[in-house]
Amino acid sequence: MRYLFISDIHGQYSALAALLKKLEPTSDDILIFVGDYVDRGPDSRKVIDLLLDLKNDPDMHTYFLMGNHESMMIEALQHPEAEDAVSLWLHNGGRETLLSYMQKGHSLPYEEAASLFKNEYPGHYQFIQQLSIYHETDDHIAVHAGIDPGRDDWKDTSTHDYLWIREAFHYSDILNTNGKKVIFGHTPTLRFHEDAGIWFQSDKIGIDGGAGFKKQLNALIYEDGAYQTMFEKIK
């Protein structure tokens, strides 16, 4: 059995489709998607379509986690009158997400575009709202941004930190997970080393290849206690 981890797709449908073709997932595999499916890239709608196809395939075993971009999207859609929430999402790639749901060459005022999304794509809206915060296996904890290393029990991490934490998690020894490694996205691995490949540490593994910034989309493969990697460059 393989565990396949992918995060931070950011609307890069072509890269996701190509990466899944390389991975060739089967009914023996478990696919864990670690958040940030939308924003910045051109094809958020097609990404969600593909993820829903995987979710609804009875032969596939899938888990879908929330990222900070889905959190921003939900807040902006639920509260279109909240200028700060709407502005935060739109300035972080929300415009590209909404455009992916419109006919090519068309645009609408925000409240109309948000209403169109909620009314015409209820399955997509429901999918975004029902994402899990983390997924735990025998050997790993998968979560979008990280956990709070200062908590006695990592499960006491706040929802905000699960989705947004950076340095306090990255540069601390993780001693509160009973030896399980934390697999996370959110922060492109180029911030940790000289390329966009997966960042391996003794207690954590960063897998965000910077697809949202036109770098690459990574996959981490775990099988029989060993790791492999695959990636697809953004074109």
Side-chain angles (χ1 to χ4, degrees):
M1 179 175 64
R2 297 184 302 169
Y3 289 89
L4 312 175
F5 300 87
I6 300 172
S7 83
D8 295 85
I9 299 163
H10 281 298
Q12 299 292 354
Y13 167 80
S14 296
L16 175 60
L19 186 59
L20 288 171
K21 187 174 181 179
K22 289 179 181 178
L23 289 166
E24 297 183 315
T26 72
S27 59
D28 294 325
D29 298 324
I30 295 177
L31 289 88
I32 302 172
F33 293 89
V34 193
D36 279 9
Y37 315 118
V38 300
D39 298 349
R40 297 195 174 122
D43 293 315
S44 291
R45 179 185 62 78
K46 292 174 71 174
V47 166
I48 302 301
D49 275 337
L50 179 50
L51 296 181
L52 283 170
D53 286 345
L54 291 170
K55 181 181 181 181
N56 294 328
D57 186 334
D59 293 326
M60 292 289 105
H61 303 288
T62 54
Y63 296 90
F64 301 93
L65 307 185
M66 183 173 290
N68 62 306
H69 281 261
E70 286 78 42
S71 179
M72 285 189 287
M73 182 179 182
I74 291 167
E75 188 71 15
L77 290 172
Q78 289 182 341
H79 304 285
E81 76 289 348
E83 292 184 7
D84 288 349
V86 171
S87 178
L88 180 65
W89 181 45
L90 294 181
H91 281 89
N92 282 281
R95 284 189 178 87
E96 289 83 355
T97 295
L98 288 175
L99 285 171
S100 75
Y101 284 91
M102 299 179 199
Q103 293 183 4
K104 190 172 183 179
H106 288 243
S107 63
L108 293 171
Y110 173 75
E111 290 197 14
E112 291 182 41
S115 178
L116 178 147
F117 170 77
K118 290 188 285 186
N119 293 330
E120 296 194 16
Y121 295 89
H124 287 212
Y125 191 30
Q126 183 181 55
F127 173 77
I128 293 294
Q129 292 176 295
Q130 294 179 344
L131 296 168
S132 301
I133 296 297
Y134 63 80
H135 181 73
E136 186 176 8
T137 72
D138 290 341
D139 299 304
H140 300 99
I141 298 159
V143 62
H144 181 64
I147 63 171
D148 184 345
R151 300 279 186 174
D152 291 335
D153 184 344
W154 67 267
K155 290 183 180 178
D156 291 332
T157 298
S158 68
T159 299
H160 181 273
D161 280 347
Y162 280 133
L163 301 180
W164 289 93
I165 198 169
R166 292 194 196 270
E167 286 80 2
F169 165 70
H170 301 154
Y171 301 113
S172 296
D173 294 330
I174 305 303
L175 305 174
N176 58 355
T177 62
N178 293 318
K180 294 185 180 184
K181 291 186 180 181
V182 181
I183 297 174
F184 71 100
H186 184 53
T187 302
T189 59
L190 275 166
R191 295 195 185 185
F192 307 128
H193 57 188
E194 294 182 353
D195 60 59
I198 291 174
W199 183 61
F200 288 93
Q201 299 292 291
S202 62
D203 54 358
K204 60 180 75 73
I205 304 173
I207 66 172
D208 178 0
F213 302 100
K214 300 183 179 180
K215 298 300 182 182
Q216 67 187 46
L217 183 63
N218 290 327
L220 176 68
I221 305 155
Y222 180 72
E223 183 178 20
D224 297 330
Y227 298 101
Q228 300 178 50
T229 66
M230 285 188 185
F231 66 90
E232 183 70 23
K233 291 287 187 182
I234 305 303
K235 299 173 183 176

